[in-house]
Amino acid sequence: IRDPWTTAVIIIVNLIKMPAVAVILIGVLTLTFTFLFFVLVKPKLLKYNRNRLVEKTAISAFIIIFSLGTYTVIAKSESVNPATLEMRYNCQLQAATNLIDYGIETKADSKLPGRHIPFRDEINISLKQNTPGKNYNVVIIVLEGVQYKYTSLYDHKNNLTPYLLNLAREGAEFTHTRSSFTYSTKAIFSLMTGRYPSATFELPETLPQKQPYASIATILEDKLNYRTAYFLSAKGEFECGPGLVHNLGFDKFWARECLPGTDSYIGYLSSDEYAMIKPITEWIASDSKPFVLSVVCSVTHDPYEPPRWYAPAAKEPVGRYQQAITYTDSFISALDSELAKMNLKDNTIFCVLSDHGEAFGEHGQFTHEGMGYEEALRVPFVIRCPGLISGGTKVSAPVSLIDVVPTILNLAGLEVKGAGFDGLNALGLIPEDRKVFFVGGMYDAPLGYVEGKKKFIYEKASGQVYAYDLGSDPLELSQIKIDEPKKVIDEITGWHKAHILELDDNRHGQKLFFGNWLIKWKKNVARARYQKSPELAKQF
């Protein structure tokens, strides 16, 4: 239902490869359905009133057209009222508008002055006087939707992520890391740039820019001559992956569509992460220069399905989720073993973290959008760097995904203090009064910040603000009173308005990226299609 075309391709390809099995299956199914239909069910022809059918169709068409028009007027309204909120949250209207556009922001948001994120030639960063003496390779593994409590970092006895725990013992663990935005594309943008993404539900991060932003890839390429690659086990067409990767400045992009066949596909979105190991190691071996390698794992994304060869799928979602987490942990182990075989382990900064968490009813909510609770925000984050980080290091101060780039660049020998990052070096001094901001990832989603052990959450839709003491109440069961609620609201809304990227509604076009990815964009929407045929790709 979610991706019928891909599902049909997988089935057809497998039937072609196994003609004998295909004949048997199709033959048995044909006989079975014929018997059920004509012998058991014996359906009668449906009788209906033609005029009544035309009348209902016309009324339905009118309702759809009227609703779309009303949605455009009300949802973009300056005011916040019950009608506005209902129109923004209504799932039927969201489904209808998604057929012609991807999301919509409020008129008030579109009038904000906008925010500028520096491009690769606009950042001021230099080498430190005392550099490591060698160029460390950088490997960043991004997990999809892994909640901190579902790792062995939280509980050493649960054995869900033994290799992640081993990495923490060999390097540093940041025990209170939070996602900047509980939405994958935006979270990845922030952890690759050291800056907050656009604090809206639109995806300007995927609209192809004339040149990439200043990111971990562009900075290390420009300053230290690194080569860069981005591997994604999910569909690249999902949320215009190549557009995001182009804007991040990676030289190579690999996604599920790049697989030679569909055998490794898992569900509507993911693929077997082990299928990435060969192309990754081949890319590493193709050049002797130091590299930045980003690997984004997606099997832990819903519907949480590990490959069949790994384990029979559990019946309940939370059971499959745990299986997928353990499977991905084993993939990390396998990839790290390949690096060791290539004698790269001792000169590689190896970083593993998640883009956001995942909820399973802890506060009556599921998945990760539209909430400000720890199950959606708190994520695992570990770094191993032999010779520069002592094993067993623990950082308990609140940190964010925006701290990943400054931390890695500092280890690589670059001075990050004057570079203007939103984040900071998480292995350095972290101010006690630092505020780590976050957005809950949908229209009018909760947003707020963590300061020390206190979390402040502002519900934009209702106008309410509340807080939790995470030190005495880590499960967030009891809200605490806020002495100056207006001050907190002003601080959160001020941050929110200052972190909206300006969108140029007049931009449109199409271009081929990374050799095979055709991206078309119009206004604030970008879509990508994989051009499998080189001849077809040459046309663009």
Side-chain angles (χ1 to χ4, degrees):
I1 293 174
R2 300 183 76 164
D3 193 350
W5 172 248
T6 300
T7 304
V9 170
I10 295 172
I11 294 172
I12 293 170
V13 168
N14 280 279
L15 290 178
I16 292 173
K17 289 184 176 181
M18 300 180 291
V21 174
V23 170
I24 295 172
L25 285 174
I26 295 174
V28 170
L29 287 173
T30 301
L31 291 173
T32 302
F33 280 110
T34 300
F35 178 78
L36 289 173
F37 193 78
F38 290 105
V39 178
L40 298 182
V41 179
K42 295 180 180 179
K44 295 181 180 180
L45 291 176
L46 181 66
K47 295 181 180 180
Y48 65 94
N49 185 307
R50 181 184 179 87
N51 293 334
R52 185 64 175 160
L53 178 64
V54 171
E55 180 183 321
K56 287 185 175 182
T57 303
I59 292 173
S60 298
F62 172 78
I63 291 173
I64 292 172
I65 294 171
F66 177 78
S67 298
L68 289 174
T70 307
Y71 181 85
T72 303
V73 175
I74 295 182
K76 285 187 174 182
S77 171
E78 298 274 2
S79 63
V80 177
N81 52 59
T84 307
L85 299 178
E86 175 58 29
M87 297 298 275
R88 291 180 193 167
Y89 278 119
N90 188 281
C91 59
Q92 287 84 4
L93 284 176
Q94 290 288 333
T97 54
N98 281 344
L99 294 175
I100 56 174
D101 202 348
Y102 189 92
I104 191 169
E105 290 301 333
T106 66
K107 188 175 180 182
D109 286 341
S110 66
K111 285 187 174 182
L112 293 173
R115 175 189 182 214
H116 177 71
I117 291 181
F119 293 105
R120 70 185 303 166
D121 61 356
E122 296 177 335
I123 189 168
N124 181 24
I125 194 167
S126 59
L127 286 170
K128 293 189 297 187
Q129 292 183 349
N130 299 319
T131 60
K134 61 179 178 180
N135 289 339
Y136 281 80
N137 302 305
V138 176
V139 175
I140 303 175
I141 299 179
V142 183
L143 310 177
E144 167 64 53
V146 174
Q147 184 188 148
Y148 181 74
K149 286 188 176 181
Y150 283 92
T151 70
S152 301
L153 300 173
Y154 175 76
D155 182 358
H156 295 184
K157 298 178 182 179
N158 68 19
N159 204 37
L160 287 174
T161 58
Y163 201 75
L164 192 61
L165 179 60
N166 183 64
L167 288 173
R169 289 169 175 166
E170 292 179 345
E173 176 195 354
F174 304 86
T175 60
H176 290 82
T177 304
R178 288 172 180 88
S179 176
S180 53
F181 205 114
T182 62
Y183 199 96
S184 297
T185 297
K186 291 180 174 291
I188 290 172
F189 182 86
S190 65
L191 72 88
M192 294 292 178
T193 62
R195 302 175 194 276
Y196 287 109
S198 181
T200 62
F201 194 62
E202 304 283 11
L203 294 175
E205 298 84 1
T206 67
L207 290 169
Q209 302 297 310
K210 293 181 180 179
Q211 65 166 316
Y213 295 108
S215 71
I216 186 72
T218 58
I219 292 171
L220 287 177
E221 182 177 7
D222 294 344
K223 298 297 180 181
L224 296 173
N225 197 30
Y226 277 54
R227 55 198 174 104
T228 62
Y230 188 106
F231 285 79
L232 170 68
S233 69
K235 290 175 61 177
E237 294 180 355
F238 185 70
E239 292 184 354
C240 196
L244 172 68
V245 176
H246 162 74
N247 289 342
L248 294 175
F250 284 89
D251 297 325
K252 177 181 176 62
F253 175 60
W254 187 100
R256 185 176 86 165
E257 290 90 338
C258 300
L259 287 166
T262 61
D263 292 348
S264 296
Y265 284 17
I266 300 175
Y268 76 99
L269 179 68
S270 306
S271 66
D272 189 340
E273 272 135 24
Y274 279 77
M276 293 192 291
I277 291 179
K278 183 179 179 181
I280 286 174
T281 53
E282 287 178 346
W283 176 79
I284 292 175
S286 66
D287 198 308
S288 60
K289 291 198 305 183
F291 59 83
V292 177
L293 169 65
S294 173
V295 182
V296 181
C297 303
S298 59
V299 171
T300 46
H301 190 283
D302 78 271
Y304 325 119
E305 295 179 5
R308 291 185 178 182
W309 65 261
Y310 181 76
K315 293 182 179 180
E316 297 299 324
V318 68
R320 295 196 303 273
Y321 180 67
Q322 292 174 321
Q323 287 179 320
I325 289 174
T326 303
Y327 156 81
T328 300
D329 185 73
S330 70
F331 161 74
I332 297 171
S333 174
L335 180 59
D336 200 21
S337 296
E338 292 297 321
L339 294 177
K341 291 177 185 177
M342 302 172 80
N343 296 317
L344 297 173
K345 186 174 180 179
D346 291 337
N347 65 328
T348 296
I349 300 170
F350 197 82
C351 172
V352 182
L353 73 166
S354 184
D355 55 358
H356 52 73
E358 193 82 343
F360 287 90
E362 291 89 342
H363 290 87
Q365 295 173 279
F366 293 82
T367 71
H368 50 269
E369 294 182 7
M371 71 184 82
Y373 295 113
E374 291 290 86
E375 52 266 29
L377 287 171
R378 192 177 175 190
V379 296
F381 176 22
V382 299
I383 294 182
R384 182 190 66 203
C385 185
L388 296 181
I389 299 179
S390 300
T393 299
K394 283 197 175 186
V395 177
S396 58
V399 300
S400 169
L401 297 188
I402 59 173
D403 300 328
V404 176
V405 166
T407 304
I408 293 177
L409 292 180
N410 180 73
L411 291 170
L414 294 172
E415 183 58 66
V416 299
K417 287 185 179 180
F421 291 112
D422 292 334
L424 47 71
N425 172 22
L427 290 168
L429 181 63
I430 300 176
E432 293 184 1
D433 60 349
R434 184 195 187 199
K435 295 178 175 62
V436 175
F437 286 89
F438 60 84
V439 179
M442 65 181 295
Y443 296 116
D444 290 330
L447 57 156
Y449 62 84
V450 175
E451 182 179 9
K453 294 183 178 180
K454 297 286 182 65
K455 177 194 281 186
F456 298 86
I457 302 174
Y458 172 53
E459 294 277 2
K460 189 178 176 183
S462 65
Q464 294 183 341
V465 62
Y466 48 93
Y468 292 100
D469 186 335
L470 300 177
S472 60
D473 180 26
L475 299 180
E476 299 171 291
L477 299 177
S478 302
Q479 296 179 8
I480 59 176
K481 183 181 178 181
I482 299 175
D483 295 331
E484 299 180 88
K486 186 179 184 305
K487 180 180 178 182
V488 174
I489 292 175
D490 290 344
E491 190 165 21
I492 293 173
T493 55
W495 172 87
H496 178 252
K497 291 178 181 179
H499 288 82
I500 293 177
L501 281 177
E502 187 175 4
L503 301 176
D504 184 358
D505 288 344
N506 297 320
R507 292 181 71 248
H508 66 276
Q510 68 177 40
K511 186 177 178 181
L512 196 69
F513 292 89
F514 303 108
N516 290 88
W517 294 92
L518 176 65
I519 300 179
K520 297 181 180 181
W521 62 94
K522 184 177 181 181
K523 293 185 178 180
N524 58 352
V525 180
R527 293 182 174 88
R529 288 293 179 266
Y530 184 66
Q531 309 295 317
K532 204 165 190 177
S533 168
E535 290 75 20
L536 183 61
K538 289 177 182 177
Q539 297 177 18
F540 300 94

